[in-house]
Amino acid sequence: MLSYQHGYHAGGFADLHKHAALCLLIAHLKQKTTPFCMIDCHAGRGLYDLTGEQARRTGEWQAGIAQLVKAEPANDVLRHYLDVVTAFNPRDSLTAYPGSPSIAARLMSEQDRLVLIEAHPAEHEALRRVLRHDPRTHIHKRNSFEALPGLVPPDERRGLVLIDPSYELKTEYQTVPRVLAKVLRRWPSGIFTIWYPLLPDNRHQPLLAGLQTLAKPLLVAELTGPARDQGLRGTGLAVINPPWQFPETFGKAGAELGRCLFGAKGKHVQRVTGQTP
Ligand SMILES: C[S@@+](CC[C@H](N)C(=O)[O-])C[C@H]1O[C@@H](n2cnc3c(N)ncnc32)[C@H](O)[C@@H]1O
């Protein structure tokens, strides 16, 4: 039984990095007029209450989204992302934080489709309450690693998969590349974005090694703050088949995000391997 609940971490620095990338990826997909599909494999509850018990207990959002709002970044990607977050809040206050399903639903067009997978019963029920009336969404209560191969390629043949596990099981660092190997055979042109934590023991290394063996264009972007002996020391994103110019544009956004959150100690590093389209 899964116990992770994202409410403790919503709006923290890892969400900012991941969700700014998500906004930019959707903007790239919208450059063409044909429909696309997004599959969110670890959807969470969709919308988080920043005044609630979970958010209050960690206060991660205060050092994350609240800090970024205060910093008033000039970067276009970050401004676009902040516009999305503020759309879920009353004027001049920050009481809610949209998860990846709500961000995607807000940015997608009427013709696009959003497939959401969430295995935790309570999180799934909350997600249904947020998005069940949206005719573009399909919400599944399943194990996404079992479900994903059967969901691709989507009819639209164009789109994005977000893989954002809680890594409660250490085996997930190996499961992700193993499932992706199967999925990429069925849908080689899909864009796949994988989140991973940077922890002091570098347990994400097998994940990155596994992704390298897939022999696809791969962007790896990591944001770190001041050095820490324990807990999350940084946040990582791997993007398979990154759109043209995405690495350059996201690199600038990530660097500014680092400055806004961590000052001179913020560091954003990226590397691209394989051939980019
Ligand atoms: C990090 S949170 C997701 C946050 C969300 N993607 C966002 O950005 O707002 C991970 C979620 O995945 C769910 N989850 C974990 N393992 C899963 C699996 N194998 N299949 C589907 N959902 C899973 C957890 O219950 C949790 O709600």
Side-chain angles (χ1 to χ4, degrees):
M1 176 66 183
L2 300 167
S3 61
Y4 177 90
Q5 290 190 297
H6 195 61
Y8 293 100
H9 310 291
F13 74 95
D15 266 7
L16 272 52
H17 188 241
K18 169 179 63 187
H19 292 158
L22 176 61
C23 292
L24 182 58
L25 287 166
I26 293 178
H28 274 278
L29 285 163
K30 284 174 72 175
Q31 283 170 5
K32 285 195 186 152
T33 54
T34 47
F36 67 88
C37 174
M38 171 166 157
I39 304 176
D40 192 342
C41 287
H42 302 82
R45 61 194 295 128
L47 191 61
Y48 298 90
D49 177 8
L50 296 178
T51 68
E53 168 61 20
Q54 293 184 345
R56 270 210 312 272
R57 186 118 33 115
T58 61
E60 286 185 21
W61 68 275
Q62 275 157 340
I65 188 63
Q67 167 82 16
L68 186 64
V69 169
K70 226 184 297 160
E72 298 184 352
N75 177 272
D76 287 345
V77 175
L78 298 180
R79 296 214 62 80
H80 179 222
Y81 156 70
L82 282 179
D83 285 347
V84 175
V85 175
T86 49
F88 288 86
N89 283 282
R91 206 185 156 90
D92 295 331
S93 81
L94 197 53
T95 55
Y97 185 78
S100 47
S102 294
I103 292 173
R106 168 123 199 129
L107 294 175
M108 292 167 84
S109 310
E110 210 174 310
Q111 60 177 356
D112 303 322
R113 214 157 49 87
L114 180 58
V115 177
L116 304 170
I117 312 172
E118 173 52 54
H120 190 292
E123 297 295 277
H124 171 263
E125 195 40 48
L127 177 65
R128 268 181 41 75
R129 282 198 294 276
V130 172
L131 280 164
R132 70 168 182 264
H133 296 302
D134 187 326
R136 302 166 302 172
T137 63
H138 308 258
I139 307 177
H140 302 271
K141 184 166 73 181
R142 288 188 66 187
N143 178 339
S144 60
F145 296 122
E146 289 166 14
L148 184 60
L151 293 169
V152 298
D155 291 345
E156 295 83 355
R157 303 272 159 167
R158 223 164 76 70
L160 165 70
V161 174
L162 176 61
I163 298 180
D164 185 15
S166 40
Y167 297 99
E168 276 178 281
L169 303 172
K170 272 197 186 175
T171 50
E172 286 176 325
Y173 294 100
Q174 280 91 11
T175 306
V176 171
R178 188 169 37 78
V179 171
L180 278 170
K182 203 192 289 182
V183 166
L184 278 163
R185 278 196 291 276
R186 299 173 62 93
W187 191 22
S189 62
I191 301 168
F192 297 86
T193 301
I194 302 106
W195 177 80
Y196 58 90
L198 294 173
L199 292 161
D201 64 2
N202 282 331
R203 65 182 72 164
H204 65 284
Q205 290 299 355
L207 170 77
L208 292 185
L211 295 179
Q212 288 292 349
T213 67
L214 300 173
K216 301 293 287 180
L218 178 69
L219 165 73
V220 170
E222 296 180 348
L223 174 67
T224 49
R228 304 174 71 165
D229 294 336
Q230 49 186 353
L232 200 64
R233 65 172 182 83
T235 186
L237 276 182
V239 184
I240 297 173
N241 292 328
W244 188 60
Q245 292 186 331
F246 177 86
E248 293 79 359
T249 314
F250 188 62
K252 290 180 192 144
E256 183 157 347
L257 181 60
R259 278 193 297 277
C260 290
L261 297 182
F262 306 120
K265 298 214 160 122
K267 209 165 130 199
H268 192 247
V269 293
Q270 289 196 162
R271 52 193 182 276
V272 181
T273 51
Q275 248 185 336
T276 46

